[in-house]
Amino acid sequence: MSQTLFTNARLIDPDAGTDTMGALLVEDGRIKEISTQASENAGFSFTSVIPDSVVRVDCKGKCLAPGIVDIGVKVGEPGERHKESYGTAGQAAAAGGVTTIVTRPDTHPPIDTPEQLDFIRRRAAEECRVNVLPMAALTKGRAGREMTEIGFLMDAGAVAFTDCDHVVTDTKVLSRAMTYARSLGALIIGHPQDPGLSNGASATSGKFASLRGLPSVSPMAERMGLDRDIGMVEMTGARYHADQITAARALPTLERAKANGFDVTAGTSMHHLTLNEMDVADYRTFFKVKPPLRAEDDRKAIVEAVRSGLIDIIGSFHTPQDEESKRLPFEEAASGAVGLETMLTVLLRLYHAEEMTLPTLFRALALNPAKRLGLDCGRLTAGAPADLVLFDPDKPVILDRFKLRSKSKNTPFDGARLQGKVLGTWVAGDRVYEA
């Protein structure tokens, strides 16, 4: 029996919505007991007997929270191992306080068969120091013409089904896939975007894009894509999650869907919560993401939607790209940015700006994604897995992209002055990272 006692910790409990001083006891990979009652004996009192042999971790007043569950992580295997491997992704995740990564199927080739999924699971088990849950493609080859073997893929371990940014345009194919998914209880993850409007766009329509001469797309493309997907949910009754809501105009549709009782949740990205279109400045391609960065009014609306609970989940949408893919004219450069290692530190900007409390932040980073996937992690409760992150929210940091553990270094936050540092990460009670 292995035990670890965390004392003098600032416990961030997203389920209870509390931020209190206390202690936490881990036994055999799970949280055994939590105490917030101060005493003179080793810091806090427990009903459990604490032997002298227990491993003690003095948190020194820093924050202890559930490990982050990151939905929508791109790993380069198979096909693009030079951009990111499961080994480097695991190192980056652990250093960023991410204890579970949910991987996307937009690989080369796409993950659309049980055999490919089995390969991913074995590679992750061999190389990755954090939990890995794979998603599978919704249609074969992500081509939008024929649905995958959803039942067999679920048996092989797929936790959700998505074609990522390849929007299924044939609604008959989509309706069949969603109807079949509903019969199995499978989760469909959509990318709300009208592909006709957004094709070839690299910026959001408006004055900034016009002045820079960039091909752009209206935020209405997101609203129209979400309207269609919600209509399909109403028709089929499928479980649905919108991967990224980034525009204020899409929020009323999401609100109506939830009010109507549909099984719908939504996420957004760390970049759309902390950056806006002006950050692109003079064609800085590290700021090119998909969907493109929005106006400041949109950013504020999305922050408020996360705070109110309308948007459920925040993800890094970790998308490694090599230098050759980014060192191109803005229109031709690849979209995406790495975020596994930087997400928590970057999102603490919202905490320091008093736009979000720490329990609210971890509700969207840990609790809600775990709930949506039916996992028992993401919370500080007795019996939950001891997937934990210890961090100092006030530690000054100047981000250096060349020190990131990811193989690719395409972060828009290179050189940024931030506050917040991960001090330690535990998966099932085992320490996988120490600063």
Side-chain angles (χ1 to χ4, degrees), residues 291-362:
L293 294 175
R294 307 300 193 186
E296 176 64 8
D297 287 345
D298 284 306
R299 187 198 71 81
K300 289 180 178 179
I302 299 304
V303 169
E304 176 56 35
V306 173
R307 187 165 53 222
S308 70
L310 179 58
I311 289 178
D312 308 86
I313 293 168
I314 301 172
S316 70
F317 291 88
H318 179 83
T319 305
Q321 302 286 6
D322 53 25
E323 297 284 330
E324 291 76 12
S325 301
K326 282 291 189 181
R327 298 297 186 190
L328 293 170
F330 195 89
E331 186 177 345
E332 299 173 22
S335 297
V338 294
L340 277 171
E341 190 170 343
T342 59
M343 177 162 61
L344 180 55
T345 298
V346 167
L347 288 173
L348 285 171
R349 280 181 167 183
L350 304 177
Y351 164 69
H352 291 295
E354 298 184 349
E355 292 183 307
M356 210 171 290
T357 65
L358 290 177
T360 299
L361 192 59
F362 275 87

Side-chain angles (χ1 to χ4, degrees), residues 370-384:
K371 282 184 174 180
R372 194 52 168 149
L373 296 173
L375 309 176
D376 58 356
C377 58
R379 44 182 68 86
L380 291 187
T381 55

Side-chain angles (χ1 to χ4, degrees), residues 139-426:
T139 65
K140 293 182 178 180
R142 299 170 60 227
R145 291 190 294 269
E146 183 182 357
M147 71 177 181
T148 54
E149 297 284 357
I150 294 176
F152 291 151
L153 285 162
M154 287 182 72
D155 291 342
V159 296
F161 296 84
T162 178
D163 279 353
C164 304
D165 59 351
H166 284 192
V167 177
V168 180
T169 56
D170 189 326
T171 50
K172 184 167 286 189
V173 171
L174 183 59
S175 68
R176 288 172 177 168
M178 293 178 81
T179 300
Y180 189 58
R182 182 206 173 189
S183 70
L184 298 172
L187 177 65
I188 302 294
I189 297 185
H191 181 70
Q193 202 69 217
D194 182 282
L197 289 174
S198 59
N199 185 38
S202 57
T204 299
S205 296
K207 183 178 180 180
F208 178 82
S210 297
L211 289 172
R212 293 295 186 274
L214 295 172
S216 59
V217 59
S218 168
M220 280 301 294
E222 184 173 297
R223 161 77 174 272
M224 292 164 65
L226 186 61
D227 279 334
R228 186 205 69 157
D229 285 2
I230 297 302
M232 299 297 289
V233 170
E234 184 175 3
M235 183 172 74
T236 63
R239 299 174 61 220
Y240 175 83
H241 175 74
D243 65 352
Q244 292 188 71
I245 299 297
T246 62
R249 288 182 176 180
L251 295 176
T253 297
L254 178 61
E255 192 169 15
R256 284 195 300 272
K258 290 192 170 188
N260 287 333
F262 301 148
D263 192 352
V264 169
T265 52
T268 193
S269 85
M270 57 179 278
H271 302 106
H272 292 92
L273 287 169
T274 57
L275 301 170
N276 65 37
E277 60 186 353
M278 304 300 289
D279 287 301
V280 172
D282 292 324
Y283 312 103
R284 298 168 68 187
T285 59
F286 278 16
F287 289 82
K288 184 179 180 183
V289 294
K290 188 182 290 186
L293 294 175
R294 307 300 193 186
E296 176 64 8
D297 287 345
D298 284 306
R299 187 198 71 81
K300 289 180 178 179
I302 299 304
V303 169
E304 176 56 35
V306 173
R307 187 165 53 222
S308 70
L310 179 58
I311 289 178
D312 308 86
I313 293 168
I314 301 172
S316 70
F317 291 88
H318 179 83
T319 305
Q321 302 286 6
D322 53 25
E323 297 284 330
E324 291 76 12
S325 301
K326 282 291 189 181
R327 298 297 186 190
L328 293 170
F330 195 89
E331 186 177 345
E332 299 173 22
S335 297
V338 294
L340 277 171
E341 190 170 343
T342 59
M343 177 162 61
L344 180 55
T345 298
V346 167
L347 288 173
L348 285 171
R349 280 181 167 183
L350 304 177
Y351 164 69
H352 291 295
E354 298 184 349
E355 292 183 307
M356 210 171 290
T357 65
L358 290 177
T360 299
L361 192 59
F362 275 87
R363 181 186 68 195
L365 286 172
L367 179 64
N368 285 347
K371 282 184 174 180
R372 194 52 168 149
L373 296 173
L375 309 176
D376 58 356
C377 58
R379 44 182 68 86
L380 291 187
T381 55
D387 296 347
L388 305 167
V389 54
L390 177 67
F391 65 98
D392 181 349
D394 301 314
K395 178 74 172 178
V397 173
I398 299 177
L399 201 147
D400 181 353
R401 72 187 185 99
F402 294 105
K403 294 181 179 179
L404 295 178
R405 288 157 180 81
S406 293
K407 283 189 178 182
S408 297
K409 314 296 182 184
N410 55 307
T411 174
F413 298 101
D414 184 36
R417 295 179 181 272
L418 303 167
Q419 275 183 280
K421 182 177 177 61
V422 173
L423 304 175
T425 306
W426 288 260

